[in-house]
mmCIF file with all atom_site columns, all heavy atoms in Angstrom:
data_model
loop_
_atom_site.group_PDB
_atom_site.id
_atom_site.type_symbol
_atom_site.label_atom_id
_atom_site.label_alt_id
_atom_site.label_comp_id
_atom_site.label_asym_id
_atom_site.label_entity_id
_atom_site.label_seq_id
_atom_site.pdbx_PDB_ins_code
_atom_site.Cartn_x
_atom_site.Cartn_y
_atom_site.Cartn_z
_atom_site.occupancy
_atom_site.B_iso_or_equiv
_atom_site.pdbx_formal_charge
_atom_site.auth_seq_id
_atom_site.auth_comp_id
_atom_site.auth_asym_id
_atom_site.auth_atom_id
_atom_site.pdbx_PDB_model_num
ATOM 1   N N   . VAL A 1 441 ? 16.702 3.444  27.414 1.00 98.00 ? 441 VAL A N   1
ATOM 2   C CA  . VAL A 1 441 ? 18.026 3.656  28.020 1.00 98.00 ? 441 VAL A CA  1
ATOM 3   C C   . VAL A 1 441 ? 18.012 3.545  29.542 1.00 98.00 ? 441 VAL A C   1
ATOM 4   O O   . VAL A 1 441 ? 19.043 3.326  30.166 1.00 98.00 ? 441 VAL A O   1
ATOM 5   C CB  . VAL A 1 441 ? 18.658 5.005  27.612 1.00 98.00 ? 441 VAL A CB  1
ATOM 6   C CG1 . VAL A 1 441 ? 18.819 5.083  26.111 1.00 98.00 ? 441 VAL A CG1 1
ATOM 7   C CG2 . VAL A 1 441 ? 17.862 6.205  28.141 1.00 98.00 ? 441 VAL A CG2 1
ATOM 8   N N   . GLY A 1 442 ? 16.815 3.674  30.132 1.00 98.00 ? 442 GLY A N   1
ATOM 9   C CA  . GLY A 1 442 ? 16.729 3.584  31.606 1.00 98.00 ? 442 GLY A CA  1
ATOM 10  C C   . GLY A 1 442 ? 17.699 4.528  32.262 1.00 98.00 ? 442 GLY A C   1
ATOM 11  O O   . GLY A 1 442 ? 17.771 5.713  31.913 1.00 98.00 ? 442 GLY A O   1
ATOM 12  N N   . ASN A 1 443 ? 18.514 3.984  33.200 1.00 98.00 ? 443 ASN A N   1
ATOM 13  C CA  . ASN A 1 443 ? 19.481 4.834  33.924 1.00 98.00 ? 443 ASN A CA  1
ATOM 14  C C   . ASN A 1 443 ? 20.835 4.895  33.225 1.00 98.00 ? 443 ASN A C   1
ATOM 15  O O   . ASN A 1 443 ? 21.744 5.536  33.699 1.00 98.00 ? 443 ASN A O   1
ATOM 16  C CB  . ASN A 1 443 ? 19.710 4.293  35.343 1.00 98.00 ? 443 ASN A CB  1
ATOM 17  C CG  . ASN A 1 443 ? 18.421 4.371  36.125 1.00 98.00 ? 443 ASN A CG  1
ATOM 18  O OD1 . ASN A 1 443 ? 17.621 5.299  35.908 1.00 98.00 ? 443 ASN A OD1 1
ATOM 19  N ND2 . ASN A 1 443 ? 18.213 3.401  37.015 1.00 98.00 ? 443 ASN A ND2 1
ATOM 20  N N   . GLU A 1 444 ? 20.933 4.179  32.098 1.00 98.00 ? 444 GLU A N   1
ATOM 21  C CA  . GLU A 1 444 ? 22.280 4.082  31.486 1.00 98.00 ? 444 GLU A CA  1
ATOM 22  C C   . GLU A 1 444 ? 22.690 5.352  30.751 1.00 98.00 ? 444 GLU A C   1
ATOM 23  O O   . GLU A 1 444 ? 23.863 5.606  30.551 1.00 98.00 ? 444 GLU A O   1
ATOM 24  C CB  . GLU A 1 444 ? 22.321 2.891  30.520 1.00 98.00 ? 444 GLU A CB  1
ATOM 25  C CG  . GLU A 1 444 ? 22.163 1.554  31.194 1.00 98.00 ? 444 GLU A CG  1
ATOM 26  C CD  . GLU A 1 444 ? 21.995 0.438  30.174 1.00 98.00 ? 444 GLU A CD  1
ATOM 27  O OE1 . GLU A 1 444 ? 22.970 0.136  29.475 1.00 98.00 ? 444 GLU A OE1 1
ATOM 28  O OE2 . GLU A 1 444 ? 20.872 -0.108 30.070 1.00 98.00 ? 444 GLU A OE2 1
ATOM 29  N N   . ALA A 1 445 ? 21.722 6.117  30.285 1.00 98.00 ? 445 ALA A N   1
ATOM 30  C CA  . ALA A 1 445 ? 22.056 7.348  29.541 1.00 98.00 ? 445 ALA A CA  1
ATOM 31  C C   . ALA A 1 445 ? 20.970 8.367  29.844 1.00 98.00 ? 445 ALA A C   1
ATOM 32  O O   . ALA A 1 445 ? 19.915 8.046  30.395 1.00 98.00 ? 445 ALA A O   1
ATOM 33  C CB  . ALA A 1 445 ? 22.103 7.052  28.047 1.00 98.00 ? 445 ALA A CB  1
ATOM 34  N N   . GLU A 1 446 ? 21.250 9.617  29.447 1.00 98.00 ? 446 GLU A N   1
ATOM 35  C CA  . GLU A 1 446 ? 20.248 10.659 29.672 1.00 98.00 ? 446 GLU A CA  1
ATOM 36  C C   . GLU A 1 446 ? 19.738 11.138 28.312 1.00 98.00 ? 446 GLU A C   1
ATOM 37  O O   . GLU A 1 446 ? 20.530 11.402 27.407 1.00 98.00 ? 446 GLU A O   1
ATOM 38  C CB  . GLU A 1 446 ? 20.917 11.815 30.417 1.00 98.00 ? 446 GLU A CB  1
ATOM 39  C CG  . GLU A 1 446 ? 19.916 12.735 31.064 1.00 98.00 ? 446 GLU A CG  1
ATOM 40  C CD  . GLU A 1 446 ? 20.601 13.892 31.799 1.00 98.00 ? 446 GLU A CD  1
ATOM 41  O OE1 . GLU A 1 446 ? 21.830 13.806 32.036 1.00 98.00 ? 446 GLU A OE1 1
ATOM 42  O OE2 . GLU A 1 446 ? 19.911 14.881 32.078 1.00 98.00 ? 446 GLU A OE2 1
ATOM 43  N N   . ILE A 1 447 ? 18.423 11.210 28.208 1.00 98.00 ? 447 ILE A N   1
ATOM 44  C CA  . ILE A 1 447 ? 17.852 11.726 26.964 1.00 98.00 ? 447 ILE A CA  1
ATOM 45  C C   . ILE A 1 447 ? 17.396 13.167 27.211 1.00 98.00 ? 447 ILE A C   1
ATOM 46  O O   . ILE A 1 447 ? 16.520 13.401 28.050 1.00 98.00 ? 447 ILE A O   1
ATOM 47  C CB  . ILE A 1 447 ? 16.619 10.887 26.512 1.00 98.00 ? 447 ILE A CB  1
ATOM 48  C CG1 . ILE A 1 447 ? 16.937 9.386  26.437 1.00 98.00 ? 447 ILE A CG1 1
ATOM 49  C CG2 . ILE A 1 447 ? 16.054 11.419 25.189 1.00 98.00 ? 447 ILE A CG2 1
ATOM 50  C CD1 . ILE A 1 447 ? 17.812 8.954  25.284 1.00 98.00 ? 447 ILE A CD1 1
ATOM 51  N N   . LEU A 1 448 ? 17.999 14.104 26.505 1.00 98.00 ? 448 LEU A N   1
ATOM 52  C CA  . LEU A 1 448 ? 17.569 15.506 26.599 1.00 98.00 ? 448 LEU A CA  1
ATOM 53  C C   . LEU A 1 448 ? 16.656 15.782 25.416 1.00 98.00 ? 448 LEU A C   1
ATOM 54  O O   . LEU A 1 448 ? 16.893 15.289 24.313 1.00 98.00 ? 448 LEU A O   1
ATOM 55  C CB  . LEU A 1 448 ? 18.781 16.438 26.545 1.00 98.00 ? 448 LEU A CB  1
ATOM 56  C CG  . LEU A 1 448 ? 19.877 16.152 27.580 1.00 98.00 ? 448 LEU A CG  1
ATOM 57  C CD1 . LEU A 1 448 ? 20.989 17.194 27.444 1.00 98.00 ? 448 LEU A CD1 1
ATOM 58  C CD2 . LEU A 1 448 ? 19.304 16.208 29.001 1.00 98.00 ? 448 LEU A CD2 1
ATOM 59  N N   . TYR A 1 449 ? 15.663 16.596 25.632 1.00 98.00 ? 449 TYR A N   1
ATOM 60  C CA  . TYR A 1 449 ? 14.680 16.787 24.557 1.00 98.00 ? 449 TYR A CA  1
ATOM 61  C C   . TYR A 1 449 ? 14.434 18.272 24.262 1.00 98.00 ? 449 TYR A C   1
ATOM 62  O O   . TYR A 1 449 ? 14.381 19.096 25.169 1.00 98.00 ? 449 TYR A O   1
ATOM 63  C CB  . TYR A 1 449 ? 13.342 16.140 24.962 1.00 98.00 ? 449 TYR A CB  1
ATOM 64  C CG  . TYR A 1 449 ? 12.173 16.635 24.143 1.00 98.00 ? 449 TYR A CG  1
ATOM 65  C CD1 . TYR A 1 449 ? 12.009 16.234 22.813 1.00 98.00 ? 449 TYR A CD1 1
ATOM 66  C CD2 . TYR A 1 449 ? 11.260 17.539 24.679 1.00 98.00 ? 449 TYR A CD2 1
ATOM 67  C CE1 . TYR A 1 449 ? 10.947 16.718 22.052 1.00 98.00 ? 449 TYR A CE1 1
ATOM 68  C CE2 . TYR A 1 449 ? 10.186 18.023 23.920 1.00 98.00 ? 449 TYR A CE2 1
ATOM 69  C CZ  . TYR A 1 449 ? 10.041 17.618 22.613 1.00 98.00 ? 449 TYR A CZ  1
ATOM 70  O OH  . TYR A 1 449 ? 9.010  18.104 21.860 1.00 98.00 ? 449 TYR A OH  1
ATOM 71  N N   . ALA A 1 450 ? 14.255 18.590 22.983 1.00 98.00 ? 450 ALA A N   1
ATOM 72  C CA  . ALA A 1 450 ? 13.738 19.911 22.583 1.00 98.00 ? 450 ALA A CA  1
ATOM 73  C C   . ALA A 1 450 ? 12.873 19.722 21.348 1.00 98.00 ? 450 ALA A C   1
ATOM 74  O O   . ALA A 1 450 ? 13.204 18.925 20.466 1.00 98.00 ? 450 ALA A O   1
ATOM 75  C CB  . ALA A 1 450 ? 14.881 20.866 22.278 1.00 98.00 ? 450 ALA A CB  1
ATOM 76  N N   . LYS A 1 451 ? 11.782 20.458 21.287 1.00 98.00 ? 451 LYS A N   1
ATOM 77  C CA  . LYS A 1 451 ? 10.913 20.367 20.103 1.00 98.00 ? 451 LYS A CA  1
ATOM 78  C C   . LYS A 1 451 ? 11.645 20.860 18.860 1.00 98.00 ? 451 LYS A C   1
ATOM 79  O O   . LYS A 1 451 ? 11.502 20.316 17.770 1.00 98.00 ? 451 LYS A O   1
ATOM 80  C CB  . LYS A 1 451 ? 9.633  21.166 20.346 1.00 98.00 ? 451 LYS A CB  1
ATOM 81  C CG  . LYS A 1 451 ? 8.683  21.140 19.156 1.00 98.00 ? 451 LYS A CG  1
ATOM 82  C CD  . LYS A 1 451 ? 7.385  21.885 19.434 1.00 98.00 ? 451 LYS A CD  1
ATOM 83  C CE  . LYS A 1 451 ? 6.539  21.973 18.161 1.00 98.00 ? 451 LYS A CE  1
ATOM 84  N NZ  . LYS A 1 451 ? 5.389  22.851 18.310 1.00 98.00 ? 451 LYS A NZ  1
ATOM 85  N N   . GLY A 1 452 ? 12.432 21.912 19.018 1.00 98.00 ? 452 GLY A N   1
ATOM 86  C CA  . GLY A 1 452 ? 13.336 22.327 17.934 1.00 98.00 ? 452 GLY A CA  1
ATOM 87  C C   . GLY A 1 452 ? 12.736 23.203 16.855 1.00 98.00 ? 452 GLY A C   1
ATOM 88  O O   . GLY A 1 452 ? 13.374 24.117 16.367 1.00 98.00 ? 452 GLY A O   1
ATOM 89  N N   . SER A 1 453 ? 11.494 22.918 16.460 1.00 98.00 ? 453 SER A N   1
ATOM 90  C CA  . SER A 1 453 ? 10.878 23.732 15.399 1.00 98.00 ? 453 SER A CA  1
ATOM 91  C C   . SER A 1 453 ? 9.413  23.318 15.275 1.00 98.00 ? 453 SER A C   1
ATOM 92  O O   . SER A 1 453 ? 9.001  22.305 15.832 1.00 98.00 ? 453 SER A O   1
ATOM 93  C CB  . SER A 1 453 ? 11.556 23.513 14.046 1.00 98.00 ? 453 SER A CB  1
ATOM 94  O OG  . SER A 1 453 ? 11.158 22.273 13.496 1.00 98.00 ? 453 SER A OG  1
ATOM 95  N N   . ASN A 1 454 ? 8.682  24.113 14.534 1.00 98.00 ? 454 ASN A N   1
ATOM 96  C CA  . ASN A 1 454 ? 7.345  23.666 14.101 1.00 98.00 ? 454 ASN A CA  1
ATOM 97  C C   . ASN A 1 454 ? 7.504  22.704 12.939 1.00 98.00 ? 454 ASN A C   1
ATOM 98  O O   . ASN A 1 454 ? 8.633  22.389 12.539 1.00 98.00 ? 454 ASN A O   1
ATOM 99  C CB  . ASN A 1 454 ? 6.517  24.885 13.706 1.00 98.00 ? 454 ASN A CB  1
ATOM 100 C CG  . ASN A 1 454 ? 6.113  25.670 14.941 1.00 98.00 ? 454 ASN A CG  1
ATOM 101 O OD1 . ASN A 1 454 ? 5.407  25.146 15.807 1.00 98.00 ? 454 ASN A OD1 1
ATOM 102 N ND2 . ASN A 1 454 ? 6.583  26.910 15.034 1.00 98.00 ? 454 ASN A ND2 1
ATOM 103 N N   . VAL A 1 455 ? 6.390  22.270 12.374 1.00 98.00 ? 455 VAL A N   1
ATOM 104 C CA  . VAL A 1 455 ? 6.480  21.431 11.168 1.00 98.00 ? 455 VAL A CA  1
ATOM 105 C C   . VAL A 1 455 ? 6.841  22.332 9.990  1.00 98.00 ? 455 VAL A C   1
ATOM 106 O O   . VAL A 1 455 ? 7.768  22.044 9.212  1.00 98.00 ? 455 VAL A O   1
ATOM 107 C CB  . VAL A 1 455 ? 5.163  20.683 10.915 1.00 98.00 ? 455 VAL A CB  1
ATOM 108 C CG1 . VAL A 1 455 ? 5.227  19.878 9.614  1.00 98.00 ? 455 VAL A CG1 1
ATOM 109 C CG2 . VAL A 1 455 ? 4.854  19.736 12.085 1.00 98.00 ? 455 VAL A CG2 1
ATOM 110 N N   . TYR A 1 456 ? 6.124  23.420 9.840  1.00 97.00 ? 456 TYR A N   1
ATOM 111 C CA  . TYR A 1 456 ? 6.417  24.458 8.845  1.00 97.00 ? 456 TYR A CA  1
ATOM 112 C C   . TYR A 1 456 ? 6.523  25.804 9.551  1.00 97.00 ? 456 TYR A C   1
ATOM 113 O O   . TYR A 1 456 ? 5.882  25.999 10.594 1.00 97.00 ? 456 TYR A O   1
ATOM 114 C CB  . TYR A 1 456 ? 5.267  24.569 7.831  1.00 97.00 ? 456 TYR A CB  1
ATOM 115 C CG  . TYR A 1 456 ? 5.292  23.553 6.707  1.00 97.00 ? 456 TYR A CG  1
ATOM 116 C CD1 . TYR A 1 456 ? 4.512  22.412 6.765  1.00 97.00 ? 456 TYR A CD1 1
ATOM 117 C CD2 . TYR A 1 456 ? 6.078  23.758 5.577  1.00 97.00 ? 456 TYR A CD2 1
ATOM 118 C CE1 . TYR A 1 456 ? 4.496  21.493 5.719  1.00 97.00 ? 456 TYR A CE1 1
ATOM 119 C CE2 . TYR A 1 456 ? 6.077  22.843 4.527  1.00 97.00 ? 456 TYR A CE2 1
ATOM 120 C CZ  . TYR A 1 456 ? 5.302  21.702 4.603  1.00 97.00 ? 456 TYR A CZ  1
ATOM 121 O OH  . TYR A 1 456 ? 5.305  20.799 3.574  1.00 97.00 ? 456 TYR A OH  1
#
Side-chain angles (χ1 to χ4, degrees):
V441 300
N443 296 327
E444 294 171 69
E446 198 181 345
I447 307 288
L448 305 182
Y449 162 74
K451 179 177 173 189
S453 76
N454 287 299
V455 176
Y456 277 99

